[in-house]
Amino acid sequence: MEKKLLFKDYLYIGSMLFGLFFGAGNLIFPVHMGQEAGANVLLANLGFLVTGIGLPFLGVIAIGSSQSNGLFELASRINRRYAFIFTILLYLVIGPFFALPRLATTSFEIGLAPFIPTEFMALVLAGFSLLFFFTAWWFARKPSKLLDYVGKFLNPLFLILLGILLFLAFFRPMGEIASAPVQASYGTSPFFKGFVEGYNTLDALASLAFGIIIVTTIRHRGVTKPSTIAIDTIKSGAVSILLMGLIYSLLAYMGTMSLGQFPLSENGGIALAQIAHYYLGTSGSVVLAMIVIVACLKTGIGLISAFSETFIELFPKRNYVFFSTVVSTMACLFANIGLTKIIEFSIPVLMFLYPLAMTLILLAILGPLFKHDPRVYQMTTYFTLIASVIDGLNASPDFLSQTGWAQSIISLGSSYLPFFSIGMGWVLPACIGFVFGLIWHWLGKRTA
């Protein structure tokens, strides 16, 4: 007889997913967005929620409803070579190159850096990142225990600590939202600016990685029927997404209110440190350090596990422990280049990968309409790929984006792609590719 999950199971699994998602970027980017958006925080936050929680939820739905065994199998509907390259690129971004190192550097810069003399900063960061990734690696060695580590222990602890800070911020607000200054980038299109800012959380990409962790967890609890697993995945994902949306909104508004006491900060980490110290003094810095370290550690455990599980599939000659050790070591090394540099170099990669991830998610959900015909997947993806390259070049550092050949390509995008100026140049090509794919699918049916 098919086993059914109980309500408490959905809460536990949803809590685990929230814990895996909610890491460094989820704390610092909403706060900084709130500061920059000022009085326009409402529209900016709505845009942020679309990419910050809407797309991750669709990603979880895509993995669950497609009944696939992970990102590689899902992307193979385009073709296996593309799936191989896309899967490796995506996991490198959410793994050792960007997301994982950012977890350690965010923990360090917010939690410990205020207490450390400048001359010892690099040395202590090296020691901290080594300890951080050893701890994450230790817990990630047994992925079947993720529900216990994250859902039942680390996540409730994180929510209690963050709840203290949010309660104080709204009980004794630092400033008025209506009178908060608005930065130029949020003056004309705050919704779309917030939409693009949501890319920085990496959650739409991570949803394609974490979706399989939920599916595996549900299977370990005795559910085996694919359709039931799909439904349970969606229900568990809903718990996580609702909680994330609430906390994102509170953090964004807290950031806006902080302008009543502090100037615009360089990043959300600095703003969080200022807010915690304002309300709780030195003890506030300790509480914030605990919030950030717990948040980042639990996400690090999930990313190491997801990376290792996937690379076993791609390279079956190696085992789980090998890949978990490699990804932890690489992340430890990259963490020592600093948070600002990590964010700077991650943006062009995100602008390239996000449209491809979003179209894959939407195609997986809409797939029953065209019987998951590979031709529709291929046409949509190839058209999107062209715009993704241009978006990525446009967001690159000056040493790349200001070269002659790059400027020629970028000028084509600005001239012919609607919404290019707000980072959404991929939308029209994706729609054109989708329509062409549907026509090809329909003609194939007529001639069959």
Side-chain angles (χ1 to χ4, degrees):
M1 182 178 177
E2 177 70 20
K3 183 176 179 180
K4 294 185 180 295
L5 296 185
L6 303 175
F7 180 70
K8 69 176 184 178
D9 294 316
Y10 295 127
L11 290 181
Y12 283 147
I13 299 172
S15 174
M16 178 193 72
L17 180 60
F18 170 84
L20 296 175
F21 272 132
F22 212 96
N26 310 74
L27 278 170
I28 64 177
F29 288 115
V31 175
H32 191 59
M33 180 194 68
Q35 284 197 325
E36 289 196 313
N40 288 342
V41 66
L42 174 61
L43 286 175
N45 184 59
L46 288 175
F48 188 90
L49 291 179
V50 173
T51 43
I53 66 170
L55 287 176
F57 188 43
L58 291 179
V60 172
I61 292 174
I63 293 293
S65 63
S66 66
Q67 300 178 13
S68 62
N69 287 317
L71 173 60
F72 180 73
E73 183 179 324
L74 188 59
S76 293
R77 293 174 178 175
I78 300 162
N79 65 58
R80 285 186 64 84
R81 179 178 296 178
Y82 174 86
F84 196 80
I85 296 171
F86 180 73
T87 302
I88 290 176
L89 280 177
L90 186 144
Y91 273 91
L92 287 175
V93 169
I94 66 171
F97 286 173
F98 298 123
L100 268 174
R102 192 176 71 183
L103 294 172
T105 52
T106 302
S107 300
F108 175 79
E109 292 194 13
I110 298 176
L112 297 182
F115 306 104
I116 299 169
T118 305
E119 62 268 25
F120 298 116
M121 202 72 74
L123 181 63
V124 178
L125 173 59
F128 174 80
S129 57
L130 187 64
L131 179 61
F132 180 93
F133 285 111
F134 176 78
T135 305
W137 171 83
W138 181 266
F139 282 110
R141 290 177 310 141
K142 297 181 178 179
S144 61
K145 295 291 185 181
L146 275 178
L147 182 61
D148 293 326
Y149 294 149
V150 177
K152 296 181 181 179
F153 173 66
L154 289 176
N155 198 52
L157 176 61
F158 162 74
L159 289 174
I160 291 170
L161 293 172
L162 183 60
I164 294 171
L165 186 59
L166 289 172
F167 173 78
L168 291 171
F170 283 85
F171 184 71
R172 290 193 286 124
M174 285 181 272
E176 294 290 332
I177 292 173
S179 59
V182 179
Q183 299 303 306
S185 57
Y186 283 89
T188 53
S189 303
F191 176 86
F192 289 106
K193 176 62 176 172
F195 184 98
V196 175
E197 279 297 306
Y199 288 3
N200 286 316
T201 66
L202 299 176
D203 285 342
L205 304 183
S207 67
L208 294 170
F210 290 152
I212 191 58
I213 293 180
I214 301 181
V215 171
T216 302
T217 302
I218 291 171
R219 285 173 179 161
H220 284 159
R221 299 180 84 79
V223 180
T224 56
K225 188 177 179 181
S227 59
T228 306
I229 291 174
I231 294 171
D232 288 343
T233 300
I234 295 169
K235 288 181 179 179
S236 301
V239 172
S240 166
I241 293 306
L242 290 173
L243 188 56
M244 285 171 63
L246 174 63
I247 294 178
Y248 279 153
S249 301
L250 294 176
L251 287 170
Y253 277 85
M254 183 176 72
T256 302
M257 291 186 294
S258 71
L259 294 174
Q261 290 291 331
F262 304 108
L264 176 68
S265 60
E266 183 181 345
N267 61 58
I270 295 171
L272 273 174
Q274 291 173 332
I275 293 167
H277 191 270
Y278 174 84
Y279 285 112
L280 296 169
T282 304
S283 61
S285 299
V286 175
V287 170
L288 183 61
M290 294 175 64
I291 291 172
V292 173
I293 291 172
V294 170
C296 294
L297 183 61
K298 58 189 176 57
T299 301
I301 294 168
L303 287 176
I304 291 170
S305 178
F307 182 96
S308 304
E309 292 276 15
T310 298
F311 271 64
I312 290 173
E313 181 184 355
L314 298 178
F315 305 99
K317 291 184 179 180
R318 298 292 185 176
N319 61 26
Y320 178 91
V321 175
F322 171 82
F323 285 117
S324 64
T325 304
V326 168
V327 69
S328 301
T329 304
M330 290 176 65
C332 184
L333 294 174
F334 279 106
N336 286 275
I337 70 173
L339 179 59
T340 302
K341 284 291 183 185
I342 290 172
I343 293 173
E344 178 185 344
F345 285 108
S346 68
I347 290 174
V349 182
L350 296 180
M351 294 299 290
F352 170 74
L353 279 180
Y354 246 90
L356 298 172
M358 285 189 278
T359 51
L360 180 60
I361 289 169
L362 294 173
L363 287 167
I365 293 171
L366 297 174
L369 298 177
F370 51 86
K371 301 185 185 302
H372 292 288
D373 189 335
R375 291 171 292 190
V376 182
Y377 279 85
Q378 289 164 3
M379 293 300 291
T380 306
T381 300
Y382 297 154
F383 272 77
T384 305
L385 183 61
I386 297 170
S388 289
V389 170
I390 302 174
D391 278 335
L393 281 175
N394 190 44
S396 298
D398 288 346
F399 74 85
L400 180 59
S401 63
Q402 295 303 315
T403 58
W405 63 271
Q407 282 295 304
S408 299
I409 295 173
I410 292 169
S411 65
L412 288 175
S414 61
S415 300
Y416 298 106
L417 295 179
F419 316 120
F420 180 77
S421 61
I422 57 174
M424 303 278 291
W426 59 273
V427 173
L428 180 61
C431 292
I432 293 173
F434 182 65
V435 171
F436 281 174
L438 287 178
I439 293 172
W440 194 6
H441 166 71
W442 181 74
L443 290 175
K445 287 176 62 178
R446 290 288 300 270
T447 57

